[in-house]
Amino acid sequence: MHQEPSDPLVQAPVRIPSQGPEHAHTTTTVERGSFCLARCVCGWSGPARRSRDRARADAEEHHLTPPGDPR
């Protein structure tokens, strides 16, 4: 029997090319209803997007920022 998860958030890792051990950004995408947003372990969160591809692009763009940069 199929059950829907009780948690409305669905997280999927975003594959990012390795930038070395000094790079402190690890991003995921989170779905909330029909919206998707990117999040990072550094505390950054991107805008809610209807396009998953755009949320992944936000995550990639953030991943290229230096550690400690609030962008």
Side-chain angles (χ1 to χ4, degrees):
M1 185 166 116
H2 176 72
Q3 281 188 317
E4 294 296 321
S6 59
D7 187 358
L9 299 179
V10 178
Q11 295 187 345
V14 177
R15 202 176 107 235
I16 304 291
S18 175
Q19 297 289 323
E22 73 282 354
H23 208 45
H25 296 297
T26 302
T27 55
T28 59
T29 56
V30 179
E31 293 187 3
R32 287 190 177 164
S34 60
F35 291 92
C36 186
L37 60 121
R39 286 193 177 162
C40 183
V41 296
C42 75
W44 172 84
S45 181
R49 307 281 191 178
R50 288 197 182 267
S51 167
R52 287 185 186 104
D53 287 340
R54 184 62 196 134
R56 284 190 288 267
D58 291 341
E60 284 186 47
E61 183 179 313
H62 173 72
H63 194 270
L64 298 175
T65 62
D69 191 334
R71 284 186 277 161

